[in-house]
Amino acid sequence: MIYRVAECFASINGESSRAGELAYFIRFVGCNLNCSYCDTAWAIPQDAPCVEMTSEEIMDKISESGIKNVTLTGGEPLIQKDINPLIERIASGGFRVELETNGAVAIEETAMLRKEKNLQDKITFTLDYKCPSSGMEEAMVMENYDHLTSWDSVKFVVGNREDLEKAREVIREMNLLDRNIPVYISPVFGSIHPETIVEYMKQYKMNDVHLQLQLHKFIWDPDKRGV
């Protein structure tokens, strides 16, 4: 099997439940969305610059890194052909696989894979909900929330108060906190001040919800690739 990889690199996880931990990133090209604030728009087109890699070559890169957290991102990893065999191979190799997915692709097949193979603690979803300012909210697959467990997390990237209102609505309607699913709210970089999000959280007593900043954008130049 051949996979179209935009870049591979070691860094820290900038988001989700393993933020601040070392991770080895595999970024695939191609995405089914085009969010207004996308910070990896260069990887969206199917014909974006990439390297064709076999699963063996990807596994070699991961093993050589010496890092046990592996983040599959994009683009959108779950639209890649034959992605589930690669996910299973990485997880079965003793690595922890985080799937950064945009919420507009069904996760059911991958969720069933991890259950059938008893890899619940090795394969996790960081599921985005695209709020109104993204321009992509209508593409959200709400059935995905039926397949989330406490191993997974949901991320809301917000750019204004309307986005915050939508995030609060989805958290409530999907019963995320009572299901012990970690929830993160992140600002669109440069569009909304983190203090605004904190004040909103205080106003509505959003207990157990995490404010999360994209660490890599504070450590390196916000436009720098490969970090």
Side-chain angles (χ1 to χ4, degrees), residues 55-87:
S55 56
E56 288 79 10
E57 290 171 328
I58 291 173
M59 285 301 300
D60 286 345
K61 285 276 191 181
I62 293 170
S63 297
E64 290 167 6
S65 75
I67 297 171
K68 62 183 179 181
N69 294 325
V70 177
T71 299
L72 303 185
T73 188
E76 169 52 50
L78 291 182
I79 66 170
Q80 311 304 318
K81 184 179 180 182
D82 296 318
I83 193 66
N84 280 334
L86 178 62
I87 293 169

Side-chain angles (χ1 to χ4, degrees), residues 5-188:
V5 178
E7 58 180 352
C8 303
F9 59 94
S11 186
I12 59 161
N13 247 324
E15 305 172 285
S16 77
S17 60
R18 295 199 177 278
E21 293 187 25
L22 286 175
Y24 193 75
F25 290 79
I26 310 291
R27 185 184 305 282
F28 300 94
V29 299
C31 187
N32 57 323
L33 297 183
N34 188 16
C35 297
S36 62
Y37 49 74
C38 182
D39 56 4
T40 52
W42 58 272
I44 289 177
Q46 289 290 345
D47 61 354
C50 67
V51 176
E52 293 188 342
M53 299 178 68
T54 64
S55 56
E56 288 79 10
E57 290 171 328
I58 291 173
M59 285 301 300
D60 286 345
K61 285 276 191 181
I62 293 170
S63 297
E64 290 167 6
S65 75
I67 297 171
K68 62 183 179 181
N69 294 325
V70 177
T71 299
L72 303 185
T73 188
E76 169 52 50
L78 291 182
I79 66 170
Q80 311 304 318
K81 184 179 180 182
D82 296 318
I83 193 66
N84 280 334
L86 178 62
I87 293 169
E88 181 182 355
R89 181 168 184 176
I90 298 171
S92 297
F95 299 95
R96 297 186 296 218
V97 183
E98 178 193 355
L99 289 159
E100 290 190 339
T101 183
N102 62 23
V105 182
I107 68 171
E108 180 177 7
E109 186 176 341
T110 308
M112 291 301 296
L113 165 70
R114 70 175 176 180
K115 184 176 181 180
E116 292 169 357
K117 301 294 183 178
N118 196 29
L119 293 169
Q120 290 94 328
D121 61 334
K122 296 294 185 183
I123 300 173
T124 61
F125 298 100
T126 296
L127 180 72
D128 273 16
Y129 184 91
K130 301 301 183 184
C131 292
S133 72
S134 71
M136 295 287 123
E137 186 181 10
E138 291 184 0
M140 295 297 91
V141 178
M142 301 309 293
E143 292 80 6
N144 282 341
Y145 291 83
D146 297 336
H147 304 290
L148 297 179
T149 73
S150 59
W151 293 103
D152 305 311
S153 58
V154 176
K155 182 179 69 175
F156 299 88
V157 178
V158 300
N160 52 41
R161 188 177 179 91
E162 182 186 11
D163 287 353
L164 285 164
E165 296 282 359
K166 176 57 70 170
R168 188 164 62 92
E169 176 186 321
V170 173
I171 292 166
R172 181 179 64 251
E173 291 185 352
M174 295 296 105
N175 201 28
L176 297 179
L177 300 178
D178 286 344
R179 294 166 59 195
N180 295 316
I181 296 171
V183 174
Y184 299 89
I185 297 180
S186 295
V188 176

